[in-house]
Amino acid sequence: MSSPQQKWFFLGATGYIGSQFLETAKRDAALYAKLKEFTLMALVRDPESAKSKRLQEVWPGVVLVKGTLDDLTFIEEQARNSALVFNAANADHETSIKAILTGLRERSAGHPNGLRPVYIHISGLAILRDNSGGEKVPAEHIVRHSDTTFKLEDFPPTNPHQGPNGILHGAAAQTENPIRVILGYPGVVYGFGEGITPDAPLLRVFGSLYTRTGVACTWGPGYNAHSVVHIKDVGAAFVKIFSLALEGKANNVDYFISDDKAEPMVLKRFAEETGKILHAHDLLKDPEPKPFLQTIANDFGESWWSVFAGNWLAVSDRLKAEGWEPTETAKLPFRESLPLELEKFAATYNALKP
């Protein structure tokens, strides 16, 4: 068994982004060699599941540790015994985030002359959202935010991810028992991945939502735009972030992950195209998109309004300065990938119907 200094703790290793990262990392010889010096400790709900068994094939030597994000004492212990933590499981699960930070601070205190432990956390670009409520905003008034000038305090405290990110930024600023905290902020992630979970959550969520409500709806008129990025580019972005972190070049940094040259996802247009395809598969009676009735929108809560009724556009200046480019996003734009993903969703949905 490796010593505590040679462990890394991974939450979300079998998920859409987490498993894509592992596949991409294996193709980067330098990073793969560095990561294989560590024992990967992967948090999984069921070590006997098909996904867990697949993880053992993808990353030989992985140690599966059974638990959930609510097993806080266990998560704290795993973080304390790890030099590196990667949280790709849940951007906003504050109690598990605090448990990770507590464990890493304890590790830092126990190794005062060693390298500071590293925590890499996946957040999201919805933190940048404006308050447009889905209304049309002149293009010249929509801000494309750069990660080089990003400050949490410039955005309302009610924006998505503000609570957990405030905790993480606060931890990064502590000088006693210091740790390095690095956040990655993907935009709307799309496309078929190469990992254990290949399908984008976007269509699983919206496809199920639209079929359940019977209509492809928007929050407000739906003119709001979101930055997009292909899943393979997200994997490459985190390979770059890990490489920088292990070289000691990334310290308490925010990295935006999106393609500012790509056409963004406009919710109204997304609903139109989704409604058309789901209707063709007899999954919707009405293919025409329309705003949710207020009573229905209220049932989803303020968090859905917060994420899907505002504009959030970003520029990934930091990663581009390090040589990262969203090449897969350019090869297969969001609007070209969307019909392919919807066809698969519809076929899967119909196959599962009783």
Side-chain angles (χ1 to χ4, degrees), residues 226-228 259-266 269 333-335:
H226 305 152
S227 288
V228 299
D259 186 354
D260 60 288
K261 305 300 183 187
E263 180 183 1
M265 169 184 152
V266 176
R269 192 178 302 139
F334 177 75
R335 290 188 70 183

Side-chain angles (χ1 to χ4, degrees), residues 69-151:
L69 294 181
D70 294 318
D71 294 323
L72 304 179
T73 301
F74 181 68
I75 287 174
E76 181 180 323
E77 177 188 355
Q78 290 296 322
R80 183 169 57 248
N81 291 331
S82 300
L84 169 65
V85 175
F86 184 26
N87 187 355
N90 188 317
D92 300 315
H93 196 275
E94 291 191 12
T95 53
S96 61
I97 292 169
K98 290 176 181 177
I100 292 168
L101 293 172
T102 298
L104 290 176
R105 287 194 201 98
E106 291 172 356
R107 179 181 178 81
S108 181
H111 300 78
N113 299 319
L115 292 174
R116 287 184 291 162
V118 176
Y119 180 20
I120 298 175
H121 182 87
I122 298 184
S123 183
L125 286 179
I127 196 170
L128 305 174
R129 71 106 181 183
D130 62 18
N131 202 27
S132 64
E135 298 290 344
K136 188 176 289 188
V137 177
E140 63 271 20
H141 294 160
I142 300 177
V143 179
R144 290 183 180 270
H145 300 275
S146 169
D147 46 13
T148 58
T149 56
F150 171 69
K151 295 179 182 178

Side-chain angles (χ1 to χ4, degrees), residues 290-320:
K290 51 185 65 69
F292 275 120
L293 295 173
Q294 190 65 44
T295 52
I296 297 177
N298 289 343
D299 288 341
F300 294 110
E302 180 59 33
S303 61
W304 285 74
W305 269 103
S306 186
V307 173
F308 294 114
N311 296 290
W312 33 277
L313 300 176
V315 184
S316 305
D317 282 323
R318 284 199 169 112
L319 280 172
K320 287 185 176 182

